[in-house]
């Protein structure tokens, strides 16, 4: 998967997760989430997911490939940072990071982004 695809797929997923969090499918409280205590997002996370989803989609169409690669690399580092950060604390400026699934998902998305950023299509060989 290349960086553009990551931004498009990731953008759609984040936008959907943000919207589902706002309407109560996976948040904004434990009681509202269909997953209960296992997985839910508070409104801070819902806003972050929604804004990042829209930004990812826009970047996939507006940014040139080199900028997309840099952005996806930065997103990978950010995902890993939040995965590590959530191992030591449950709060980031008021957002909920207490859920073990949040930690796992941040690590998975961070790794996925770093793989996408490292995608290098082999050059075509002349015959």
């Amino acid at each position: 998967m290349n960086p553009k695809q990551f931004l498009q797929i990731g953008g759609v997923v984040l936008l959907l997760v943000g919207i589902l969090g706002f309407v109560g499918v996976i948040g904004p409280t434990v009681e509202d989430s269909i997953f209960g205590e296992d997985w839910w997002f508070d409104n801070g996370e819902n806003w972050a997911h929604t804004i990042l989803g829209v930004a990812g989609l826009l970047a996939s169409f507006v940014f040139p490939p080199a900028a997309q690669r840099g952005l996806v690399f930065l997103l990978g580092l950010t995902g890993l940072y939040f995965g590590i950060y959530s191992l030591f604390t449950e709060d980031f400026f008021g957002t909920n990071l207490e859920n073990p699934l949040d930690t796992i998902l941040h690590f998975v998305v961070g790794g996925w982004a770093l793989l996408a950023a490292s995608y290098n299509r082999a050059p075509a060989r002349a015959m």
Side-chain angles (χ1 to χ4, degrees):
M1 169 173 299
N2 64 38
K4 181 179 183 105
Q5 292 167 322
F6 174 85
L7 289 168
Q8 289 174 337
I9 294 168
V12 167
V13 169
L14 281 173
L15 184 57
L16 286 173
V17 166
I19 292 168
L20 291 174
F22 281 124
V23 299
V25 176
I26 46 179
T29 67
V30 174
E31 294 79 24
D32 292 332
S33 175
I34 62 171
F35 302 102
E37 290 182 14
D38 293 329
W39 197 43
W40 64 281
F41 300 121
D42 61 24
N43 279 332
E45 289 174 294
N46 294 332
W47 277 112
H49 294 147
T50 302
I51 292 167
L52 288 172
V54 169
L57 286 170
L58 288 173
S60 74
F61 293 105
V62 175
F63 287 8
Q68 290 174 357
R69 182 175 312 281
L71 176 60
V72 170
F73 181 76
L74 181 62
L75 290 171
L77 293 178
T78 303
L80 295 179
Y81 169 80
F82 279 106
I84 293 168
Y85 186 88
S86 66
L87 292 173
F88 300 103
T89 186
E90 297 178 351
D91 181 77
F92 182 78
F93 292 109
T95 60
N96 166 45
L97 296 175
E98 66 190 39
N99 193 315
L101 283 177
D102 283 348
T103 301
I104 292 167
L105 285 170
H106 282 116
F107 280 125
V108 168
V109 171
W112 176 35
L114 291 177
L115 283 173
S118 68
Y119 174 82
N120 189 10
R121 197 173 88 205
R125 297 183 346 161
M127 298 249 171

